[in-house]
Amino acid sequence: MHIHLLQHGADHAPARLTDWLSSMGHSYTIFHLYAGELTPRPAESDALIVLDGPETFIDQPPAWFKAENKLINRYLDGQKPMMGIGLGALWIAQALEAIIAPGTYPERGWHTVSLAPESPFDLPEKFEAFMWHRYVFSLPDNALPLGGSAAAPLQGFSWDSGRVIGLLCLFEVTLANVKKRLEHAEPTTPTSSAADRFRQESSQILEDATRFHRLAPLLDRIMTQWLRVS
């Protein structure tokens, strides 16, 4: 398969995704929309991945979002697989007329996700994933939930029998990828504020590099299940 990936920021790269695609014999093209590259046409690929990006784009959509939103809707109306990650998942949920809004708590760092009883995702009943978001979404109509964390009850969804999935939690990140994000992110400091109880400091996020390696098999299970429906 040839897969298109839409990138929304220099610090929001596909990370482990491209290694996985190559290892499975798929080809891909990354479109750096934030750098002025044009949004591709749906006929030019077999599947679409809408990557994470700055959440500031939700309140202030960039000029190119109109074209991207049109592409997302074309995929929803079609038969090809589409995956949204982070910001990409929020935009797909929005296109499915779900509510997106700031959650009660921002999440940054490592948190446990519990799989929903009705979840169609091939994942363990409990697993640790990486989070970096403030916004959350409601469950779109006719979608099934992934499961949730303590701060965000809905961490993902599956729609149209798994052809379209949205993931708020991040399985694709690597140590190098997250270090780059942290270098350009607003620093976090220890706080007793309840609002920041799920925002980890950089030292907490990076203290155990093996956590990033443990994401790889989870990503493999998600990707294999997603592309199986094509």
Side-chain angles (χ1 to χ4, degrees):
M1 297 179 69
H2 186 73
I3 298 174
H4 282 171
L5 298 95
L6 307 183
Q7 187 171 339
H8 306 112
D11 295 337
H12 297 84
R16 188 178 278 113
L17 274 169
T18 50
D19 289 341
W20 187 91
L21 291 172
S22 295
S23 70
M24 299 302 291
H26 302 295
S27 59
Y28 61 86
T29 304
I30 303 170
F31 293 84
H32 303 87
L33 304 185
Y34 66 97
E37 294 184 4
L38 297 178
T39 304
R41 297 177 181 178
E44 297 171 346
S45 70
D46 301 306
L48 179 70
I49 299 176
V50 189
L51 295 170
D52 196 10
E55 287 189 330
T56 53
F57 287 166
I58 294 174
D59 293 324
Q60 297 179 316
W64 39 261
F65 175 66
K66 184 177 180 180
E68 179 171 2
N69 190 48
K70 183 178 179 180
L71 179 64
I72 288 171
N73 279 281
R74 289 282 298 275
Y75 265 85
L76 290 175
D77 292 339
Q79 301 298 319
K80 296 178 180 180
M82 177 168 61
M83 173 186 290
I85 299 171
L87 176 68
L90 289 160
W91 277 343
I92 291 174
Q94 182 176 257
L96 288 169
E97 300 184 349
I99 296 170
I100 64 170
T104 304
Y105 303 105
E107 282 187 302
R108 181 183 295 185
W110 300 96
H111 299 286
T112 300
V113 176
S114 298
L115 210 63
E118 67 274 37
S119 174
F121 288 85
D122 177 26
L123 290 169
E125 289 187 10
K126 287 187 182 292
F127 58 88
E128 187 180 60
F130 189 75
M131 321 290 189
W132 192 304
H133 68 93
R134 178 70 173 87
Y135 278 73
V136 294
F137 41 65
S138 64
L139 186 66
D141 288 344
N142 302 312
L144 291 172
L146 182 153
S149 64
L154 184 61
Q155 285 285 345
F157 62 86
S158 170
W159 185 82
D160 194 18
S161 301
R163 179 178 67 87
V164 176
I165 67 173
L167 302 170
L168 200 56
C169 50
L170 309 177
F171 296 98
E172 80 284 1
V173 294
T174 62
L175 177 60
N177 172 245
V178 169
K179 279 184 175 180
K180 186 176 180 182
R181 281 204 196 192
L182 289 169
E183 286 172 6
H184 299 100
E186 183 180 326
T188 57
T189 54
T191 175
S192 59
S193 170
D196 286 329
R197 57 187 294 195
F198 298 103
R199 281 169 54 95
Q200 296 174 359
E201 304 171 61
S202 298
S203 58
Q204 292 175 280
I205 290 172
L206 302 176
E207 66 184 354
D208 182 4
T210 63
R211 283 171 148 169
F212 293 95
H213 301 311
R214 290 196 290 268
L215 289 175
L218 299 176
L219 178 68
D220 176 66
R221 291 170 74 164
I222 286 280
M223 295 295 290
T224 301
Q225 182 181 8
W226 173 56
L227 291 180
R228 191 180 295 148
V229 305
S230 61

